[in-house]
Amino acid sequence: QKEVEQNSGPLSVPEGAIASLNCTYSDRGSQSFFWYRQYSGKSPELIMFIYSNGDKEDGRFTAQLNKASQYVSLLTRDSQPSDSATYLCAVKAQKLVFGQGTRLTINP
Amino acid sequence: GAVVSQHPSRVICKSGTSVKIECRSLDFQATTMFWYRQFPKKSLMLMATSNEGSKATYEQGVEKDKFLINHASLTLSTLTVTSAHPEDSSFYICSSHGRGLTDTQYFGPGTRLTVL
């Protein structure tokens, strides 16, 4: 079992719709959870971090964490073509571990 | 967030040569930096944790003598790929924690290494 699992996609969402990305993790001792966006050929850029169960909103993004289910998600409202990228979930217990990423395409 | 730079952004070298990649934290002093490698369409894999003034901590399976890390100052860490071979071709990315945010990592722009 991979430590951090994401659906590799690709996930296609129409412009203006909500994009929902999911991530599960295996280490119950994980305390910090991150979502990064990575455009092709570029390095990851931080979108959000979340530490506590529940929802955290920042602009068009909402991160959701459920530690009991070992599940973290990222919702993007009013998706734009510029949101098309690979989204990396990262989870930290002793060290930061990345999922393989979900490729998201927003269709105009 | 933190500002992290890397140099060079792209390097092409012949097999057998050594390549040095620099990672700088521009707006704060970083006692710890991280080096990752990413192969095409794969996720980031932590290679080593670079500690200012002490030896780096390497992840299992990463050759210490192959990937030399030096963190001589609070703003600069270097990764040297020694005797590079085509299988070392990859995207190398460094990161650092932001000031006061010890869990959050901010990434440099990355270095694309191609070994011929």
Side-chain angles (χ1 to χ4, degrees), chain A residues 31-32 34 36 38 40-46 49 51 88-89 92 95-96 98-101 103, chain B residues 6 36 38 41-46 59 91 93 97 101-110 112:
Chain A
Q31 294 295 321
S32 309
F34 306 86
Y36 288 86
Q38 186 174 24
S40 180
K42 303 294 184 182
S43 68
E45 57 177 319
L46 181 70
F49 58 87
Y51 299 145
L88 301 170
C89 171
K92 186 173 187 293
K95 63 179 182 180
L96 194 63
F98 285 84
Q100 65 180 79
R103 183 167 180 177
Chain B
Q6 269 184 257
Y36 292 83
Q38 186 178 35
K41 299 188 178 181
K42 299 292 184 182
S43 191
L44 279 75
M45 295 300 296
L46 180 65
E59 295 299 303
F91 192 40
I93 316 172
H97 294 307
L101 297 174
T102 56
D103 273 352
T104 305
Q105 289 188 26
Y106 296 90
F107 289 88
R112 178 77 58 189

